[in-house]
Amino acid sequence: MVASKGLYAQAGVDIDAGNALVDAIKPLAAATRRVGSMDGIGGFGALFDLKALGYQDPILVSGTDGVGTKLRLAIDSGIHHTVGIDLVAMCVNDLLAQGAEPLFFLDYFATGKLKVQEAASVIAGIAEGCKQSGCALVGGETAEMPGMYHDGDYDLAGFCVGVVERSRILPRRQNITPGDALIGLPSSGVHSNGFSLVRKIMKDKGLDVQSPAPFLPGKKLGEALLEPTRLYVKPCLAAIKTGHVKALAHITGGGLLENIPRVLTPELGARLTRSALPKLPVFEWLREAGGISDRDMWLTFNSGVGMVLVVEAAKEAEVTGVLKAHGEAPFSLGQITTRGAEAVTVA
C-alpha cells in the first residue's frame, strides 16, 4: 500500500514544500531557454534538439562537479544565492577546456528538511550562472532525506552537457610547441577549491563567517570568501573561434602546478612569470595567515588565475584582443617550454 501524503509528512518528507519549490523555480528555468531547448521543467526527463544548433560533426561533452566545502561557509553565513553560480561555473568552465559550448545543465539539491525559500535562492544562483553561460537549466532533483543531513545543511551537485565540432576538440596537444604563449584570465578569488584549508586557517586564527574580513574592509569574512567563481564561457568561445587556441586549462583543485600539465604532452612544461600573477588580497592574507609556502599556494589555489589559454606566440595579440572585446582582462602569463625536473616553474 502506498503511504498517504500525511504519513510521509510524519516521516519527515514534505511533498507540498517540494511542489512549492518546483513552482518557484519554473520561471527561473524558463529564463535560461536557448536554441535547442524543448519543453519545460517538471517532466521525467529533459529533451534537447541538437540538430537545431547547426553543428556538422558534433561531439557531446559532459561534466559533473560540486562546490566542495565552500557550502559550509554559505550555510553558516546564510548566504545562498552565490553557490549556485559556483556550481555552474565549475562544470561549464571544465567543458570549455574541451572546446565545448555548454548546452544544458541539471542540478541535484539534497537536504534533511526542505526550506523552500533557501533552496529557491540556491537555484536562482544556478539559473543566473546558466544565463551568463548561455546554458539552459533543463531540470534537476530535489531530495528531502530526513536523518541524512544535520539540521540546516544541504548538499549540491551539478551536471552539464556541451557540444564541440570534432575538428575543434581541445586540447590539441600535438600542436603545442616550446615558445607558445600562455594567456591568463583573472579569477575573482578563491573560486571553489581549497576551502578546507581556508576553513582551517579561519579556525586557527579564531575567525568565523561573521568576523570582519582581514583583506576586505567593510565586509564580513563569510561574505568576502563567497565571491562566486568566474564564468569564462562567452569570451573563451569567441577566442576558440579564431582557430588559434591550442588548449585551455581550468585552474581548479591542484592549482597552477597540476592543471596546466593536464593539457600538455609529457615532453612539455610551462614557465610562468611570477610578477604576472594577480595580487589578490585574499591570497596575500591566506599566505600570511596560514604560513603557506609559494609552492603550496600554487598547488592549492588558483593564485588569481582562473583560466589559462595556450596559443602560438605570433597569435597572442589577436587572441588577447578578442578576449578583451568580450569583456575579459587577459594578461601574458608565460610560455611553453621543454619539461625539466618540474612540469611548471614560476620565476
Side-chain angles (χ1 to χ4, degrees):
M1 182 178 70
V2 178
S4 71
K5 185 164 68 173
L7 287 176
Y8 209 10
Q10 291 174 32
V13 178
D14 190 340
I15 294 175
D16 289 336
N19 291 335
L21 178 60
V22 171
D23 289 340
I25 65 179
K26 278 183 178 178
L28 299 173
T32 69
R33 285 181 65 87
R34 54 155 295 153
V35 174
S37 298
M38 297 175 65
D39 298 332
I41 199 168
F44 286 100
L47 307 178
F48 194 92
D49 182 5
L50 196 58
K51 187 175 180 180
L53 301 180
Y55 281 79
Q56 301 302 308
D57 190 11
I59 300 295
L60 292 179
V61 183
S62 62
T64 186
D65 213 331
V67 182
T69 58
K70 190 174 188 177
L71 278 180
R72 183 74 265 159
L73 297 186
I75 294 166
D76 291 347
S77 300
I79 299 173
H80 307 286
H81 64 281
T82 59
V83 288
I85 298 175
D86 286 299
L87 183 68
V88 175
M90 294 300 289
C91 293
V92 299
N93 288 343
D94 275 355
L95 263 59
L96 275 178
Q98 305 292 149
E101 171 191 6
L103 297 179
F104 57 87
F105 189 90
L106 298 98
D107 68 274
Y108 176 81
F109 180 95
T111 186
K113 179 67 176 176
L114 182 61
K115 299 177 182 178
V116 175
Q117 185 174 356
E118 181 180 281
S121 181
V122 172
I123 297 171
I126 293 172
E128 176 60 28
C130 286
K131 283 197 291 185
Q132 291 184 31
S133 304
C135 182
L137 176 58
V138 298
E141 168 70 6
T142 301
E144 190 175 29
M145 300 189 290
M148 288 292 291
Y149 296 90
H150 293 297
D151 289 346
D153 284 358
Y154 61 84
D155 200 6
L156 197 59
F159 177 79
C160 191
V161 171
V163 63
V164 60
E165 290 282 12
R166 187 185 300 270
S167 62
R168 290 196 170 183
I169 294 174
L170 297 179
R172 294 184 285 145
R173 291 185 178 87
Q174 300 308 318
N175 292 348
I176 301 174
T177 61
D180 282 346
L182 298 174
I183 300 173
L185 301 182
S187 71
S188 57
V190 185
H191 282 186
S192 296
N193 294 102
F195 273 92
S196 294
L197 179 55
V198 171
R199 291 170 52 243
K200 180 181 184 301
I201 292 170
M202 289 173 62
K203 181 178 180 181
D204 290 346
K205 293 297 181 181
L207 302 172
D208 61 28
V209 294
Q210 300 301 323
S211 302
F215 54 89
L216 192 59
K219 292 243 183 168
K220 293 179 180 178
L221 184 54
E223 181 184 7
L225 288 170
L226 285 168
E227 182 69 28
T229 306
R230 291 196 63 220
L231 294 147
Y232 299 101
V233 174
K234 293 179 179 179
C236 283
L237 286 178
I240 289 169
K241 286 179 180 178
T242 67
H244 303 319
V245 176
K246 299 182 179 184
L248 291 98
H250 183 200
I251 309 305
T252 56
L256 293 164
L257 300 189
E258 290 193 351
N259 284 291
I260 294 175
R262 292 172 67 181
V263 304
L264 305 176
T265 60
E267 298 78 23
L268 295 177
R271 182 169 63 246
L272 310 185
T273 304
R274 180 191 291 260
S275 61
L277 297 176
K279 292 180 173 56
L280 298 188
V282 63
F283 292 122
E284 298 304 309
W285 172 69
L286 287 168
R287 182 196 304 274
E288 182 178 347
I292 306 172
S293 68
D294 286 344
R295 178 176 174 77
D296 281 336
M297 286 295 296
W298 300 329
L299 192 60
T300 306
F301 301 111
N302 65 60
S303 299
V305 185
M307 186 75 76
V308 176
L309 294 82
V310 182
V311 302
E312 182 184 346
K315 304 297 183 181
E316 181 179 6
E318 180 181 345
V319 173
T320 294
V322 169
L323 290 165
K324 287 181 177 178
H326 285 79
E328 265 300 339
F331 53 92
S332 295
L333 181 60
Q335 65 179 14
I336 298 297
T337 62
T338 54
R339 186 169 301 196
E342 299 284 345
V344 178
T345 59
V346 186

